Amino acid sequence: MEANLLRFILFTLVGLVLTSFNDHLHNASSHYQYCVLGAGPAGLQMGFFLSKAKRDYIILERNSGPGSFFNKYPRHRKLISINKIHTGRHNAEFNLRHDWNSLLSDKPDLLFKRVSGEFYPPADAFPLYLSAFERELGLKVKYGVDVGRIRLVRSATGRSYVLTDQHAADYSCSILLVATGLWVPQEVEFAGSHLAEGYESISTNPDDYKDQAVLILGKGNSAFETAQSILGRASRVHMLSSSTVRLAWQTHYVGDLRAVNNEVLDTYQLKSLDGLAEARLEDVVITKQENPESRDKLYLNLRQFKQNGDEGKGSDEPWVELPDYIDNFSLRKPYDRVIRCLGFRFNFSIFDSSARLPPSENAKGRLPGVTAWYEGKNTPGLFLLGTASHSRDYRSSAGGFVHGFRYTARAVHRVLEYRHHGNKWPSTRLMTTQLMSWILKRVGEASGPYQMFETLGDVILLRGPKSSFSSHCEYVEEFLLQALPRFSSLSGHDVSSQGLIVLVMQYGKRKIDNLGLGRSETDWTQAWKSNFLHPVLYYYDSLPTAQDMKTRPHGWPLPRPKAIHHMVEDFLTEWDTPLSHIQPLRRFLEHCVHSDLRAFSTENCFRSALTHRKPPLFCQQGYLAR
């Protein structure tokens, strides 16, 4: 009996010691130089760059696998990101212009087409691709870590960010890279808003809407995706938001309504029971009329139309008839369902006051505010990646989508490499006579400036005495245009007295009929009137200042330069014709570098050397230099 008691006491003590030891290990703080929060496409993209640079990092993900957002969204399981596999070209860089799903890596076959060949792929394919990306690159990801609190801690050795998970375990890091995306449903409060179903929880079975009248709040892609899925079953589908429909092919913003989702526009314009209306959602009043014999009916009213003007009444108040003078109110018929499809917002709640990110001034505050190099405002060392960083180019470029933020993630990594490791932004040294051919190569194939138009651009640093043998340039690819005044401190490259040229891809600023006659410009002498995507070169004799950026002309990506050159838009997006593209470009570059950039044969160079004191630069840096 005593022996059994002693054994019991011994086992209990050992168990307590082991439990205490395990708890200590579990709650101990792990320190890394870089913490990446989120294993979605942006987090894994940054993981690749950190892994390639052999940095000390960890990717923390709350779910059991990468890209968990795509396990649920979009709800109707079709992506609207283009997966154009067949381009007729074997140039990998060019093909990325039309591959909107693949991430950047040093493995040429690690592309999205491996998991889907469909032009608009199924959403289930994306987590499969991300899993392959993580596995084959050996990225350091820790799953099941649900970070609920982020705080900034200052000490004598510097500052660090501490992330606390659901088990009270801490992860500290010098640099925090937040790639959590947008996943909190956006809601608008109005009288009766609780009667609306959310996009995140609605049934995706069209038969559940059979012969029902449905009102959808919102006119974005999630709203139209939902409308399109039930068009063949619902008796009528109405859509309501404060703004009119913005079509992506008109605005050139891929976050606006895509053609793949716009079938309801046909049924609206061809008067087949469906329709679109506009009103401030904050002014909406939804009331419910219970019917014991059938489904309850939902009535929509607008606050200014309520006869009694009582804003304090609940949503279950009796239906109030509209005054006679508005008896043709568009949405006067009752609905069986009201569905909220207003998109998503950033999760600000996990940030302690010491690490609080301010909301952006655009996007209705749904996004965090960031600097031009994607560092959180007032949170040094905390950077935003992916969709969460989209406030910098909201509604103006593709930074909120995979085919855009894969490049901004690379730009952020280059900023970090110089700031913390002394590695300058990668550049290519070119002789001045090589510059034009390099520019033509970039505008014909580069995917970064093409996808992140007006946001990323190539910076050409002019070096050496003009018209001399030593004249050359440093070609810096895909710099952050809005951070141009901070170019030297972010890239590590100085700007000389010879100045710089910035190459940008941009759209025209005039409002046109995008499908009408005369929509494009073909005359190179009128290249500045180009409406569609085309290269623009800005020449500055000195680096623009922050004040210059603030006072730049409305709609311009950069301040007014000393000289500017538009390459006329090209239907084939190749910009390689001798008269319309190459010759005007050469004339512009000659103006900037004060040199003759024509190419000469060996015989002409030899004759020039005999008859001229100073042969053309092409000869100096070419045949005569050998």
Side-chain angles (χ1 to χ4, degrees), residues 37 72 91 119 169 173-174 182 248 289 363 400 442 456 521 544 560 564 585:
L37 186 58
K72 183 175 182 179
N91 184 315
F119 190 71
C173 50
S174 304
L182 309 182
Q289 188 176 75
R442 290 287 293 170
L456 296 180
E521 183 60 62
R560 195 177 297 278
I564 190 170
L585 174 62

Side-chain angles (χ1 to χ4, degrees), residues 19 83 87 164 166 231 283 293 309 320 341 370 374 389 400 406 414 439 460 462 489 514-515 534 538 574 587 594:
T19 301
N83 183 36
T87 65
T164 305
Q166 72 273 34
L231 277 181
D283 294 334
E293 297 181 1
V320 178
C341 299
V370 296
Y374 298 98
S389 67
R406 60 191 178 192
R414 288 169 172 171
I439 290 175
I460 304 159
L462 305 180
S489 63
N514 294 69
L515 297 179
H534 63 286
Y538 295 73
E574 292 180 348
R587 293 288 191 183
H594 300 284

Side-chain angles (χ1 to χ4, degrees), residues 6-66:
L6 288 173
R7 279 197 294 270
F8 173 76
I9 294 173
L10 179 62
F11 288 144
T12 301
L13 290 173
V14 170
L16 288 172
V17 170
L18 290 176
T19 301
S20 176
F21 181 69
N22 288 335
D23 288 344
H24 175 75
L25 288 178
H26 195 73
N27 294 322
S29 177
S30 303
H31 183 80
Y32 303 88
Q33 185 172 18
Y34 296 95
C35 287
V36 181
L37 186 58
L44 295 185
Q45 183 65 87
M46 179 54 75
F48 162 71
F49 294 125
L50 293 173
S51 179
K52 186 177 180 181
K54 295 181 171 53
R55 303 302 173 205
D56 175 32
Y57 77 97
I58 189 68
I59 302 174
L60 304 175
E61 167 60 43
R62 63 176 181 157
N63 292 293
S64 59

